[in-house]
Amino acid sequence: MGNNPLGTFLPLILLVVVFYFLLIRPQRKRQQEQAQMQNSLAPGARVMTTTGLFGTVVGLEDDDVLLEVAPGVQTRWVKGAIGRVLTPVDDVPGPADDTITDGPVVDRPDTGDGDDTSTKQS
């Protein structure tokens, strides 16, 4: 019975390779994309911070970002706190508000007896 040292370490080596491709590599890629996004910030961009605050970039100073969160209200954040840049959504033309497309809407008062005629079974 020969004990092959390669056979002993092969499962451990495969485990390290699997961890690299499933965990480490994707995390590094996300970190690089996040750093690239934070370095490409420009005034006028709509952003969301990591805490969920929405604002517009009004200025950049070294590692700081000045965000306007309301008209005339500016706050200072570090670039690392910017979670993502929001892309504007194009308005999709839809039916006018006064046009009913699904048929008439009927408002019926609740009778109070707790029965719903649409779910009654015979």
Side-chain angles (χ1 to χ4, degrees), residues 65-120:
V65 178
L66 290 172
L67 293 182
E68 185 175 43
V69 293
V73 179
Q74 294 182 359
T75 58
R76 182 179 303 271
W77 296 76
V78 293
K79 283 185 181 179
I82 304 299
R84 63 179 158 162
V85 176
L86 304 174
T87 56
V89 178
D90 296 332
D91 289 336
V92 178
D97 291 339
D98 58 349
T99 306
I100 299 175
T101 57
D102 294 334
V105 176
V106 178
D107 188 18
R108 295 191 178 132
D110 186 17
T111 59
D113 9 341
D115 65 333
D116 186 8
T117 56
S118 63
T119 59
K120 271 191 178 176

Side-chain angles (χ1 to χ4, degrees), residues 42-53:
R46 290 270 305 151
V47 296
M48 183 180 80
T49 65
T50 54
T51 59
L53 182 77

Side-chain angles (χ1 to χ4, degrees), residues 7 13 24-25 33 38 43 54-55 57-58 69-70 78 97 102 119:
I13 293 169
I24 298 170
R25 191 169 174 227
E33 290 172 353
Q38 290 168 353
F54 293 89
V57 177
V58 292
V69 293
V78 293
D97 291 339
D102 294 334
T119 59

